[in-house]
């Protein structure tokens, strides 16, 4: 299993989530796998989700084992589908979910044990609402991998309201190697939004297994 420094999870989504029931007239529910933000109520159970398209849905049924603090929000990667409650209202059912690696980036000085930039390959990377979402391929077998985000520098132009944020993937593989597994990460960007910020360019870099240093550039326009 791959874990982060604070207990983040690598999600192994159920490959056989929807199995055949042997009935010709059975209709499979439409299930999506997406990054999203989930909100919990006073008892710590998930009561709503906010998608990266900005849509909010009530959680009608939760088949996951995710436990969160009361009245808090958590970043997840989840299989979910639309459903209808007994009272006729619509919402979603969560079939499987796990926390993404989503700590606020820190400067190099904050990593007291030093910087680790072990390789990983980017399977996909894209902007989603206030997050940069990343799916990685990593070679792992048994050790705990730690992920974080290193803030290399921030350049702000007060006149134009444009800010450039340079980030590097922190990855400590703990000398582990094995077969390819996926890790799911979300970089929270909202902390970079201050008064006067109109647009940001995010430069995200990581070391790959081929020995390259790859950098991905994305524009981020905050929604106020």
């Amino acid at each position: 299993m791959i874990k982060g420094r604070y207990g983040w999870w690598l999600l192994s989504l159920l490959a056989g989530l929807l199995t055949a029931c042997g009935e010709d007239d059975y209709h499979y529910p439409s299930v999506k796998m997406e990054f999203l933000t989930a909100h919990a109520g006073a008892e710590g159970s998930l009561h709503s989700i906010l998608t990266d398209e900005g849509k909010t849905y009530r959680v009608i049924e939760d088949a996951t084992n995710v436990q969160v603090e009361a009245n808090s929000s958590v970043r997840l990667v989840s299989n979910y589908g639309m459903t209808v409650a007994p009272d006729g209202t619509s919402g979603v059912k969560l079939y499987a979910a796990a926390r993404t690696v989503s700590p606020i980036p820190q400067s190099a000085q904050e990593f007291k044990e030093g910087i680790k930039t072990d390789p990983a390959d980017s399977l996909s990377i894209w902007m989603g609402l206030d997050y940069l979402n990343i799916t990685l391929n990593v070679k792992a077998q048994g050790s705990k991998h730690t992920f974080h985000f290193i803030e290399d520098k921030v350049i702000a132009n007060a006149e134009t309201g444009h800010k450039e944020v340079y980030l590097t993937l922190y990855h400590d593989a703990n000398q582990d190697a094995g077969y390819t597994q996926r890790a799911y990460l979300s970089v929270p960007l909202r902390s970079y939004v201050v008064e006067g910020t109109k647009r940001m360019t995010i430069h995200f870099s990581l070391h790959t297994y081929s020995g390259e240093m790859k950098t991905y550039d994305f524009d981020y326009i905050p929604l106020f």
Side-chain angles (χ1 to χ4, degrees):
M1 180 181 291
I2 295 176
K3 293 185 178 181
R5 180 173 298 170
Y6 302 106
W8 302 304
W9 299 349
L10 169 73
L11 178 63
S12 297
L13 291 169
L14 303 178
L17 181 62
L18 302 177
T19 56
C21 294
E23 298 181 8
D24 294 338
D25 60 347
Y26 181 79
H27 298 285
Y28 294 109
S30 178
V31 177
K32 301 179 180 180
M33 175 183 169
E34 290 185 354
F35 285 67
L36 52 85
T37 302
H39 304 283
E43 297 180 356
S45 58
L46 304 182
H47 65 73
S48 66
I49 63 169
L50 173 64
T51 72
D52 279 357
E53 289 73 39
K55 296 181 180 179
T56 300
Y57 297 105
R58 171 191 169 199
V59 175
I60 293 176
E61 187 175 352
D62 184 4
T64 74
N65 293 317
V66 176
Q67 300 294 321
V68 300
E69 294 182 7
N71 301 311
S72 66
S73 298
V74 64
R75 189 71 175 165
L76 301 176
V77 56
S78 175
N79 282 104
Y80 74 94
M82 301 303 298
T83 189
V84 178
D87 61 5
T89 59
S90 61
V92 298
K93 175 179 179 179
L94 303 182
Y95 292 92
R99 301 169 192 258
T100 68
V101 179
S102 55
I104 295 175
Q106 296 180 350
S107 63
Q109 294 87 338
E110 298 296 323
F111 294 88
K112 304 303 182 183
E113 298 178 359
I115 296 296
K116 299 283 188 177
T117 55
D118 289 332
D121 288 333
S122 173
L123 182 62
S124 58
I125 178 168
W126 71 100
M127 281 297 309
L129 204 57
D130 293 323
Y131 294 86
L132 179 64
N133 297 319
I134 307 159
T135 303
L136 296 177
N137 278 341
V138 296
K139 296 178 181 179
Q141 189 166 3
S143 298
K144 296 178 181 179
H145 291 224
T146 300
F147 298 96
H148 211 300
F149 309 116
I150 308 162
E151 179 188 286
D152 297 312
K153 61 180 176 179
V154 178
I155 302 174
N157 188 319
E159 293 183 1
T160 63
H162 179 236
K163 182 177 291 184
E164 293 193 72
V165 179
Y166 292 80
L167 304 171
T168 299
L169 175 69
Y170 177 104
H171 177 204
D172 182 1
N174 196 26
Q175 299 182 334
D176 188 28
Y179 55 91
T180 299
Q181 297 189 40
R182 292 185 182 180
Y184 300 90
L185 298 75
S186 285
V187 186
L189 300 173
R190 196 68 193 179
S191 62
Y192 291 106
V193 180
V194 297
E195 185 177 356
T197 302
K198 298 179 180 179
R199 182 174 65 89
M200 281 192 276
T201 302
I202 310 300
H203 308 278
F204 183 82
S205 301
L206 77 162
H207 293 267
T208 69
Y209 286 104
S210 65
E212 298 178 273
M213 180 75 161
K214 283 193 174 180
T215 300
Y216 301 86
D217 304 314
F218 294 90
D219 285 329
Y220 167 46
I221 299 177
L223 298 177
F224 293 91

